[in-house]
Amino acid sequence: MATLTFSTSSLHTKTLARKSVEHFPCKTLIHLPKSPNFESLSSVIKRKTLIGPPIRSTTTTISESLSTTTAPQTLKSRLKNGETLYGLFLLSFSPTLAEIAGLSGYDFVVVDMEHGPGGISQALSCLHALAAARTPAILRLPDSDAAWAKKALDLGPQGIMFPMIESQKMAKKAVSYCKFPPNGVRGSAHTVVRASDYGIDNGYLSNYEDELLIMCQVESEEGVKKIDEIASVDGVDCVQMGPLDLSASMGYLWDPGNKKVKEMMKTAEKGVLKKTGKGGGGGGAYLSGFAMPHDTPEDLRSRGYHMISGAVDIGLFRSACVEDVKKFKMKSADSDSDVDGIEIAKDGDEKYWSE
């Protein structure tokens, strides 16, 4: 019988060292149950409903997705419906003031590149602000030429105003600057400019003539003489009266309320209204104008104006500032008698606050 012997020297005692465990007191471990009935996180976490504009389908164009909604009325369509529109001139080129004007309820805002300090780039910022407030913008050009008209129209305003139009020929040229060939001479970049939603609006070329308000400004004696011819030009939607330049052309720069200036204004108004009728929409241009201290918005409306600009942003701010300072100084003067009897402390505290 075989015997198996084991050498004890071949067996060594193995010491098992306990592995230390690191502790992270700031870290919490969450053990999720391994139950087959465990719900997914999407069902455990309460969903938050986000309210926002609908996302357009990638398979349809923007113009198609908007076709089912009612398009807002344009200035042009509102005039045709017999409305009288009230607006503001923006000379500051402040997008903040533009947005405030829009939110205040004005029917339109004229961004004035003729007398304001800004150009095309600054006007664009104002158009963005007005679009956010859903208020139509009109751009008044610095000069009535094709280059300015082209750059302004590419920004996509609802209206464009040409200054110092004095004849039927000038009015026809202004209209031609607003239309693409063969109806006009406007340069075309309609596939990439803001006016066509950067080429996304497939209906732009079909609709732009119907939606754009073309305004010719008559502001000289020469222009008044030809105003009926200007108002009858096909494509001229509004004749904008310029009382300040008109008074200057007549030698009454400092007196726009002069009797002779008023008579000239009435002559101009009759020349436009006989083409359209006092109610407007008679086939010619609508009458548009500025309110003046001697000629209020209500006065203009009573005489057949359908677009009335009642104020200028800088003028409103200036008047508010002057009035604010005036109130303070008047109250300060009234309170002087109250502080005369105050004993001035040696440390000068009273003197400091009184200053």
Side-chain angles (χ1 to χ4, degrees):
M1 181 172 161
T3 303
L4 295 176
T5 29
F6 295 90
S7 173
T8 56
S9 62
S10 63
L11 297 177
H12 300 280
T13 304
K14 185 176 182 181
T15 303
L16 298 176
R18 187 169 184 174
K19 188 176 182 180
S20 62
V21 179
E22 294 182 5
H23 295 280
F24 299 91
C26 296
K27 185 173 182 180
T28 302
L29 299 179
I30 300 176
H31 298 278
L32 297 177
K34 297 182 179 181
S35 168
N37 296 324
F38 176 70
E39 298 178 357
S40 64
L41 287 178
S42 61
S43 62
V44 173
I45 299 174
K46 186 178 180 180
R47 295 177 182 271
K48 183 178 180 181
T49 303
L50 299 178
I51 300 174
I55 300 175
R56 296 187 177 101
S57 170
T58 56
T59 59
T60 60
T61 64
I62 289 176
S63 58
E64 289 171 344
S65 65
L66 294 178
S67 62
T68 57
T69 62
T70 303
Q73 286 190 315
T74 62
L75 294 174
K76 203 167 181 178
S77 64
R78 292 179 66 186
L79 287 171
K80 289 181 179 178
N81 290 338
E83 293 188 50
T84 298
L85 308 179
Y86 188 65
L88 174 83
F89 266 65
L90 188 84
L91 266 71
S92 67
F93 278 76
S94 164
T96 299
L97 293 183
E99 189 173 24
I100 290 172
L103 294 173
S104 298
Y106 286 106
D107 294 311
F108 63 89
V109 171
V110 180
V111 181
D112 190 359
M113 294 193 294
E114 182 182 12
H115 292 295
I120 292 295
S121 298
Q122 294 83 358
L124 177 58
S125 298
C126 295
L127 263 62
H128 286 156
L130 289 168
R134 299 186 179 184
T135 302
I138 298 170
L139 290 182
R140 178 157 80 161
L141 304 181
D143 194 15
S144 295
D145 67 19
W148 274 111
K150 175 173 58 178
K151 292 182 75 67
L153 290 170
D154 283 349
L155 296 186
Q158 271 202 32
I160 185 169
M161 187 183 297
F162 293 89
M164 204 60 73
I165 299 298
E166 295 185 324
S167 67
Q168 185 181 61
K169 182 179 180 181
M170 293 180 70
K172 287 182 177 180
K173 280 188 175 182
V175 172
S176 73
Y177 300 156
C178 299
K179 298 183 178 184
F180 296 114
N183 299 330
V185 296
R186 178 182 171 186
S188 176
H190 62 274
T191 57
V192 291
V193 295
R194 185 175 184 270
S196 65
D197 291 341
Y198 305 100
I200 296 173
D201 181 4
N202 293 329
Y204 175 70
L205 292 179
S206 302
N207 301 326
Y208 81 94
E209 287 190 29
D210 295 330
E211 297 176 353
L212 178 64
L213 190 74
I214 300 175
M215 308 176 72
C216 287
Q217 193 164 5
V218 173
E219 43 193 343
S220 68
E221 276 191 281
E222 188 64 28
V224 172
K225 292 177 183 178
K226 305 289 181 63
I227 199 164
D228 57 336
E229 297 177 5
I230 294 170
S232 64
V233 170
D234 185 27
V236 174
D237 299 304
C238 286
V239 173
Q240 170 82 26
M241 295 306 303
L244 289 177
D245 279 314
L246 176 61
S247 64
S249 74
M250 297 175 64
Y252 300 101
L253 175 62
W254 297 104
D255 189 15
N258 186 277
K259 182 179 179 179
K260 291 183 178 180
V261 178
K262 290 182 178 180
E263 290 175 354
M264 186 67 72
M265 285 287 290
K266 289 181 180 179
T267 299
E269 292 162 4
K270 290 177 181 178
V272 176
L273 293 175
K274 74 179 181 180
K275 294 293 181 180
T276 62
K278 190 168 184 179
Y286 294 90
L287 191 57
S288 178
F290 300 99
M292 301 285 288
H294 63 274
D295 203 7
T296 67
E298 292 74 20
D299 294 333
L300 295 179
R301 176 158 50 184
S302 69
R303 299 204 305 272
Y305 282 78
H306 275 73
M307 291 191 75
I308 301 169
S309 298
V312 178
D313 65 330
I314 290 178
L316 288 175
F317 185 65
R318 174 208 62 209
S319 298
C321 290
V322 170
E323 185 63 22
D324 183 55
V325 173
K326 181 180 177 182
K327 285 182 179 179
F328 175 78
K329 291 190 178 294
M330 289 179 65
K331 290 181 179 179
S332 297
D334 292 340
S335 63
D336 282 345
S337 57
D338 297 332
V339 299
D340 285 343
I342 297 178
E343 184 179 350
I344 304 301
K346 292 182 179 180
D347 58 7
D349 285 345
E350 287 288 350
K351 183 175 185 299
Y352 172 79
W353 289 111
S354 66
E355 288 178 345

